[in-house]
Amino acid sequence: MDMLTGDQVAEANLTDWRKLGQGLHARYLAGDFGTGARFVAAVGEAGDALGHHPRVTMGDGYVDLKLLSDDAVYRDDEGTEHVVEWVTQQDVDLARRVTEIAAEHALDPDPASITTIELALDTAHAATIAPVWAALLTGSTEAQGRGTIGDDVRDATGRVPILWFQDTDEHETPRQRFHVDVWVPSEVAEQRIDAAVAAGGIVVDDSQAPSFTVIADQDGNKACVCTTS
């Protein structure tokens, strides 16, 4: 299926879900583990019917779900098709069904608590260093470029955050090369930034807000608060 644009996902009006990074994310509050397990079982049956399933993480009082297609079609400027990991219509369809199931099980959504972390590394040599990081983070170089047209390191099982490479010029002066991308729902981005500033952080650059705002700590280390606007 074709990958969906951010506007297309927004138009779907998935009230319980937020698109952060490449996928759709939802959190549901469950009173106890058994309630969460029964909900997950029902979601599994719905996934069986649609031939597509979410990634699930359960904890004490919550169930986290992520929807992502590993066969989304991206067309570049020349019209060449690439298979990537992204949101497609099948994710939207299952997200709607999961919202219905959650209501049937009396589980409340908690979209404001969703966060996704990505790591970014500035480099002029992404193709050269990516295999090293793929092996370090996942144990195999097969994670390099998985589900993307670039050299991103993406673990198939989601054990570690995505590591992507931000192209930069050659330089000799030491500087921060790593930064963290903190993906949050758009309605809590300002709150997250305010919390960081109240804790001593500094807004370095908000020229691209709300897409991303650069925050620095007192030592000058930077991170980006990102959202799908």
Side-chain angles (χ1 to χ4, degrees):
M1 292 186 177
D2 286 352
M3 61 182 290
L4 299 183
T5 66
D7 288 343
Q8 288 173 317
V9 173
E11 289 168 2
N13 193 29
L14 302 174
T15 55
D16 294 359
W17 298 78
R18 298 295 182 270
K19 183 181 178 296
L20 306 182
Q22 293 73 35
L24 296 175
H25 298 258
R27 167 169 284 192
Y28 291 97
L29 303 179
D32 54 68
F33 193 87
T35 298
R38 288 187 290 273
F39 168 62
V40 170
V43 170
E45 292 179 0
D48 289 343
L50 292 175
H52 188 48
H53 298 88
R55 297 177 184 176
V56 180
T57 303
M58 289 185 61
D60 186 14
Y62 68 88
V63 177
D64 286 347
L65 304 171
K66 178 181 180 179
L67 281 167
L68 183 72
S69 294
D70 59 9
D71 57 355
V73 175
Y74 163 74
R75 294 178 180 83
D76 61 26
D77 294 339
E78 286 71 41
T80 303
E81 294 186 354
H82 305 270
V83 177
V84 298
E85 290 185 340
W86 202 262
V87 176
T88 68
Q89 188 60 45
Q90 67 178 351
D91 298 303
V92 170
D93 293 342
L94 183 52
R96 288 199 177 101
R97 180 65 189 121
V98 170
T99 296
E100 295 172 352
I101 294 170
E104 294 166 3
H105 286 250
L107 286 152
D108 292 327
D110 187 18
S113 68
I114 302 167
T115 302
T116 296
I117 302 295
E118 293 184 359
L119 302 175
L121 177 57
D122 291 350
T123 179
H125 311 286
T128 301
I129 69 174
V132 176
W133 286 101
L136 282 171
L137 295 176
T138 73
S140 170
T141 58
E142 294 178 0
Q144 177 189 358
R146 183 185 172 279
T148 175
I149 62 173
D151 290 296
D152 300 13
V153 175
R154 299 187 184 185
D155 177 30
T157 63
R159 293 169 297 175
V160 295
I162 289 174
L163 171 64
W164 64 277
F165 302 97
Q166 181 166 276
D167 187 48
T168 187
D169 295 332
E170 294 276 8
H171 59 84
E172 296 180 0
T173 304
R175 68 184 189 192
Q176 181 184 358
R177 289 181 179 271
F178 270 111
H179 75 265
V180 178
D181 284 345
V182 183
W183 284 87
V184 298
S186 58
E187 66 267 32
V188 299
E190 184 176 354
Q191 174 188 344
R192 187 67 61 94
I193 293 166
D194 289 345
V197 171
I202 301 166
V203 175
V204 176
D205 184 0
D206 59 2
S207 62
Q208 302 300 315
S211 294
F212 67 89
T213 299
V214 182
I215 305 291
D217 65 15
Q218 294 90 329
D219 284 343
N221 301 305
K222 299 180 181 67
C224 293
V225 177
C226 309
T227 187
T228 302
S229 55

